[in-house]
């Protein structure tokens, strides 16, 4: 482990970097302390044996438990990473500074602070209900908003020209629906004649088989 004085200097450097991040993000400037640092550290390039062998895992965890005996470990085998949750930001900072780019279980690991997720809420940690004018769209529908009135249906529009044209359709005749214009052809409907003359054949009903 490094001496405490050099570790404290690096922690102060991290706090200065954190203040710079607040300034670039447009947040209100305030004095940062150790409590502003994250509690979690992400470990990258973890040796595959840590995920497969119990002894190697205990060896890996022992390197970080010297900073916090109550630290909690989570492993991501597919990414060869581990997440360590410390009980205080200062312990996480010391572990991140001293263990970064050191060899653990035969691999040089990288230690990085986990980005804290901050949800900006005004009234609490729960989602707000939709606006009143949108609630009647929920299924099943709730009560409509105050002042809502049902729209009356309009009277059907009767196209008498279309009805007259349909009435005058006769078999064997051609009827022009749209006259030609410019380079567009006319639309003409040819009504087919009834090809069958005489009485229509009847379909005999299938006889039910005899029951014994």
């Amino acid at each position: 482990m490094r001496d405490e004085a050099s570790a404290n200097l690096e922690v102060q450097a991290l706090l200065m970097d954190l203040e710079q991040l607040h300034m670039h993000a447009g947040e209100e400037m305030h004095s940062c302390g150790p409590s502003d640092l994250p509690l979690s550290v992400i470990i990258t390039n973890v040796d595959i044996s840590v995920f497969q062998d119990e002894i190697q895992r205990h060896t890996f965890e022992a390197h970080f438990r010297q900073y916090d005996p109550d630290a909690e470990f989570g492993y991501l085998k597919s990414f060869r990473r581990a997440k360590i949750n410390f009980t205080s930001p200062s312990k996480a900072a010391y572990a991140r500074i001293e263990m970064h780019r050191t060899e653990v279980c035969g691999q040089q690991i990288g230690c990085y602070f986990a980005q804290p997720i901050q949800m900006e809420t005004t009234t609490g940690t729960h989602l707000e209900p939709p606006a009143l004018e949108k609630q009647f769209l929920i299924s099943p529908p709730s009560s409509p908003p105050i002042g809502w009135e049902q729209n009356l249906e309009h009277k059907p529009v009767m196209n008498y020209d279309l009805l007259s044209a349909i009435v005058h359709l006769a078999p064997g005749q051609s009827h022009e629906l749209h006259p030609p214009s410019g380079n567009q052809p006319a639309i003409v409907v040819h009504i087919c004649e009834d090809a069958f003359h005489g009485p229509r054949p009847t379909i005999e009903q299938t006889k039910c088989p005899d029951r014994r």
Side-chain angles (χ1 to χ4, degrees):
M1 294 178 60
R2 305 178 189 179
D3 60 281
E4 186 175 355
S6 61
N8 286 331
L9 289 176
E10 295 196 36
V11 170
Q12 293 299 324
L14 287 174
L15 294 175
M16 292 178 63
D17 292 340
L18 185 60
E19 290 183 356
Q20 293 294 327
L21 289 176
H22 282 295
M23 293 177 62
H24 288 299
E27 300 178 0
E28 184 179 355
M29 182 62 185
H30 65 282
S31 178
C32 295
S35 60
D36 295 309
L37 295 174
L39 289 171
S40 301
V41 176
I42 300 295
I43 312 301
T44 61
N45 198 32
V46 179
D47 189 75
I48 193 64
S49 62
V50 176
F51 304 98
Q52 300 173 346
D53 186 69
E54 194 71 21
I55 297 177
Q56 289 289 85
R57 179 175 297 183
H58 285 302
T59 303
F60 175 82
E61 293 181 357
H63 285 82
F64 295 94
R65 291 196 186 277
Q66 60 182 332
Y67 304 98
D68 188 355
D70 299 324
E72 298 179 352
F73 293 79
Y75 295 94
L76 301 173
K77 182 179 179 181
S78 301
F79 299 96
R80 293 183 56 190
R81 294 187 177 186
K83 181 181 180 181
I84 308 175
N85 297 324
F86 294 89
T87 56
S88 68
S90 59
K91 294 178 180 179
Y94 285 126
R96 187 269 176 199
I97 293 172
E98 297 190 359
M99 295 301 298
H100 184 55
R101 295 183 179 178
T102 59
E103 186 172 323
V104 178
C105 298
Q107 288 287 343
Q108 186 181 35
I109 62 173
C111 302
Y112 305 93
F113 284 124
Q115 180 69 27
I117 301 176
Q118 299 179 352
M119 298 181 63
E120 296 182 359
T121 56
T122 55
T123 58
T125 58
H126 302 286
L127 294 176
E128 294 293 329
L132 293 178
E133 61 269 13
K134 299 293 184 181
Q135 288 187 6
F136 67 96
L137 299 177
I138 301 176
S139 179
S142 58
S143 300
I146 299 176
W148 180 83
E149 296 181 359
Q150 182 178 2
N151 294 329
L152 299 178
E153 295 184 359
H154 298 286
K155 295 182 179 180
V157 179
M158 303 296 294
N159 192 334
Y160 294 100
D161 294 336
L162 178 60
L163 294 177
S164 177
I166 294 175
V167 170
H168 289 84
L169 291 179
Q173 298 181 2
S174 299
H175 302 272
E176 187 180 68
L177 300 181
H178 191 278
S181 59
N183 57 352
Q184 297 178 352
I187 300 177
V188 180
V189 177
H190 301 274
I191 306 301
C192 297
E193 296 182 359
D194 192 355
F196 182 81
H197 300 281
R200 296 182 178 274
T202 57
I203 301 177
E204 296 184 2
Q205 185 177 4
T206 303
K207 183 181 179 181
C208 181
D210 298 332
R211 300 181 180 180
R212 296 180 182 179

